[in-house]
Amino acid sequence: MNYTTQMDAAKKGIITKEMQIVSEKENIDVNLLRDLVANGKVAIPANKNHKSLSAEGVGEGLRTKINVNLGISKDCPNIEPEIEKVKKAIDLKAEAIMDLSSFGKTEEFRKKVVEISPAMIGTVPMYDAVGFYDRELQDITAQEFLDVVEKHAKDGVDFVTIHAGLTKVTCDTFKKNKRLTNIVSRGGSLLFAWMELNNRENPFYEYFDKLLDICEEYDVTLSLGDACRPGSINDSTDASQIEELIILGELTKRAWERNVQVIIEGPGHMPINDIKANMLLQKKLCHGAPFYVLGPIVTDIAPGYDHITSAIGGAIAASCGADFLCYVTPAEHLRLPTLEDMKEGIMATRIAAHSADIAKGIKGAKDWDYQMSEARKNLDWEKMFDLCIDEEKARKFRKESMPKHEDSCTMCGKMCSMRNMNKILDGQDINILRDDNENVTSCNQ
């Protein structure tokens, strides 16, 4: 039986090879997974032209996935450092990579990333349009925006961020409800400018059916972007954000009718006490579609540490229903991240995702922690290193400060609680002050 997209296959009762791969990775019954895809609760972004892909599922009942942003820009147009980041992100087990390139050899870079990456690839075609046509934003036509989307789809991109919810109505709401930080989404601000300069409706909303034609043809998942996401905790959960979310829910239904998979993008900056309500609102208004959040960043005062502010918000968001976390690096708000910044962002986000999976009761999530705790109890350092989320860093720290007694560390030495509890429960003397070669008497004698 033929099918056009993963969702089309699922609705027809077909189990695709991508569903089988995801089922095995997640240890979930493949028939249940197929039903979740059919109902839009899980998306499996898998462009027909992405031949190197190892499929991942995003959504209900699955592990929380993470995304890494990278790409070339006018200030940093060199492809090679970004390719190095792609390879490192894959090594560090990121499930998705978003190419946010906006200048230079964007097509060459995009094709190379698709060629080498088993991780799913996302883009924001709006970013690429100005450089692609080498014309000012105002002069690009609605059809030309769609043509760029189709170009990305042909190149094998698995999901595209499209800010289709920023309509004239949304813009009016924004103008009537002043914000501290206005529209901080790069794609959203570009679209808002285009609409204002041309006095036109958002082309991605006006020609949404044509957009769906492209997504259906290549099986590109539509990541409905949050142009009105808050860029400060002051603007969280305001009228503009909610107005756009309602429209995204309507567009989700239209996409599903065409068998196009959907992911909903969510808030950026948000105080902790707003997070749970926002996760509930998204799931309600967007009919249970997978939710993808940037952070959320829970305080605005920590440039240089926003991988931490983001991980705090991400862990809470995912524990309350978010399915997909976009990483944030220490360089957020400051500059293009370096390779080391990227690693710090990935690790912080992976920790947040795993912490949320424990809270959500994802099958097998706690097993990893159990094994680590068992290795700690047994003072099995090699097992601990093997289980570390960042083995390289853990080994480095240990090597930099080796203890006199190898069954301890330089923090506690022979006062190590694990060491001493093991000994005392085994009927041995704990021997804190004496050298190990001195004669001691068992505490049981």
Side-chain angles (χ1 to χ4, degrees):
M1 189 182 298
N2 293 326
Y3 61 88
T4 55
T5 67
Q6 295 291 322
M7 177 173 267
D8 182 39
K11 288 178 179 178
K12 291 174 177 176
I14 300 170
I15 294 172
T16 66
K17 65 177 183 179
E18 290 81 11
M19 292 178 202
Q20 194 64 52
I21 290 168
V22 172
S23 168
E24 292 171 4
K25 286 183 177 181
E26 301 282 348
N27 195 21
I28 184 175
D29 179 78
V30 73
N31 295 298
L32 172 60
L33 177 65
R34 178 200 59 206
D35 292 345
L36 289 167
V37 173
N39 292 322
K41 303 296 178 63
V42 166
I44 302 178
N47 188 310
K48 296 170 184 177
N49 292 338
H50 188 179
K51 305 304 182 184
S52 62
L53 177 69
S54 177
E56 296 283 357
V58 179
E60 185 177 305
L62 307 184
R63 288 179 298 106
T64 306
K65 305 306 185 298
I66 76 161
N67 171 69
V68 172
N69 291 337
L70 41 77
I72 54 175
S73 66
K74 192 165 187 176
D75 289 314
C76 301
N78 191 353
I79 286 176
E80 290 311 313
E82 296 307 296
I83 291 295
E84 187 179 356
K85 288 180 189 175
V86 171
K87 293 176 179 177
K88 188 65 174 177
I90 293 166
D91 288 344
L92 295 175
K93 301 180 182 179
E95 290 92 3
I97 293 171
M98 284 203 79
D99 170 17
L100 304 187
S101 296
S102 59
F103 183 82
K105 298 178 180 179
T106 57
E107 181 178 356
E108 178 184 337
F109 178 67
R110 181 170 59 251
K111 287 182 175 179
K112 181 67 174 175
V113 174
V114 170
E115 178 187 348
I116 68 174
S117 177
M120 51 187 165
I121 304 300
T123 61
V124 187
M126 187 72 192
Y127 295 174
D128 194 27
V130 175
F132 184 79
Y133 292 112
D134 194 23
R135 294 208 309 275
E136 286 298 332
L137 177 68
Q138 182 178 1
D139 300 327
I140 300 172
T141 68
Q143 183 59 50
E144 285 172 333
F145 282 128
L146 292 169
D147 290 343
V148 172
V149 176
E150 184 161 19
K151 175 60 182 166
H152 285 217
K154 284 182 179 178
D155 289 344
V157 167
D158 302 295
F159 63 102
V160 288
T161 293
I162 303 291
H163 299 93
L166 185 68
T167 65
K168 280 193 169 185
V169 171
T170 316
C171 291
D172 286 342
T173 300
F174 163 72
K175 292 174 186 176
K176 292 173 184 175
N177 297 271
K178 296 300 182 182
R179 287 178 143 193
L180 178 62
T181 48
N182 295 316
I183 293 176
V184 299
S185 159
R186 192 191 333 175
S189 65
L190 291 171
L191 263 176
F192 180 83
W194 186 90
M195 293 165 68
E196 291 290 300
L197 291 168
N198 290 288
N199 192 27
R200 289 279 305 276
E201 179 59 274
N202 180 342
F204 297 117
Y205 179 78
E206 184 175 0
Y207 301 106
F208 192 68
D209 286 330
K210 290 186 177 181
L211 178 65
L212 295 179
D213 290 340
I214 297 168
C215 293
E216 184 180 21
E217 180 177 355
Y218 298 94
D219 197 0
V220 173
T221 297
L222 194 55
S223 189
L224 290 172
D226 50 340
C228 293
R229 69 172 180 265
S232 60
I233 61 171
N234 183 80
D235 296 338
S236 172
T237 324
D238 69 352
S240 300
Q241 180 192 333
I242 303 306
E243 175 72 45
E244 181 182 36
L245 190 61
I246 291 169
I247 295 170
L248 295 185
E250 296 168 356
L251 295 177
T252 296
K253 281 191 168 182
R254 287 176 60 184
W256 285 347
E257 288 170 2
R258 294 284 303 277
N259 297 318
V260 172
Q261 299 183 103
V262 172
I263 293 171
I264 305 295
E265 297 188 11
H269 293 236
M270 181 164 289
I272 285 173
N273 54 302
D274 276 11
I275 293 175
K276 184 176 181 179
N278 270 265
M279 301 307 108
L280 178 64
L281 275 172
Q282 185 280 331
K283 289 290 184 177
K284 288 279 189 182
L285 294 176
C286 295
H287 322 293
F291 197 22
Y292 173 32
V293 296
L294 178 67
I297 290 172
V298 295
T299 177
D300 301 330
I301 64 165
Y305 298 92
D306 276 328
H307 59 311
I308 297 173
T309 64
S310 170
I312 293 167
I316 296 169
S319 71
C320 293
D323 308 288
F324 195 11
L325 303 180
C326 186
Y327 92 147
V328 173
T329 78
E332 185 77 7
H333 304 112
L334 299 171
R335 58 166 166 77
L336 191 74
T338 64
L339 188 65
E340 185 59 30
D341 294 332
M342 185 191 75
K343 180 180 176 180
E344 290 295 311
I346 289 173
M347 286 304 165
T349 311
R350 283 190 62 198
I351 291 165
H354 178 68
S355 301
D357 286 347
I358 294 170
K360 287 193 284 192
I362 297 298
K363 191 174 182 179
K366 288 179 68 174
D367 294 348
W368 187 1
D369 297 75
Y370 184 92
Q371 293 172 45
M372 176 62 87
S373 296
E374 186 175 51
R376 281 182 173 151
K377 181 189 75 171
N378 296 331
L379 296 171
D380 186 343
W381 291 95
E382 282 303 313
K383 183 77 175 291
M384 283 187 257
F385 292 140
D386 289 343
L387 290 166
C388 282
I389 195 167
D390 186 353
E391 179 182 349
E392 180 184 4
K393 189 170 188 176
R395 286 187 181 276
K396 176 177 177 288
F397 280 15
R398 171 89 171 157
K399 187 176 180 180
E400 286 174 347
S401 186
M402 288 296 293
K404 181 178 179 181
H405 301 277
E406 290 191 3
D407 61 352
S408 63
C409 76
T410 54
M411 178 70 179
C412 298
K414 292 177 74 175
M415 288 189 180
C416 170
S417 58
M418 294 293 189
R419 172 188 183 276
N420 293 332
M421 287 303 298
N422 289 343
K423 284 180 175 290
I424 205 73
L425 291 173
D426 196 36
Q428 300 178 43
D429 181 72
I430 59 173
N431 187 19
I432 295 174
L433 297 178
R434 296 184 304 274
D435 290 334
D436 288 341
N437 58 4
E438 289 187 35
N439 292 327
V440 296
T441 302
S442 169
C443 61
N444 287 336
Q445 293 180 345

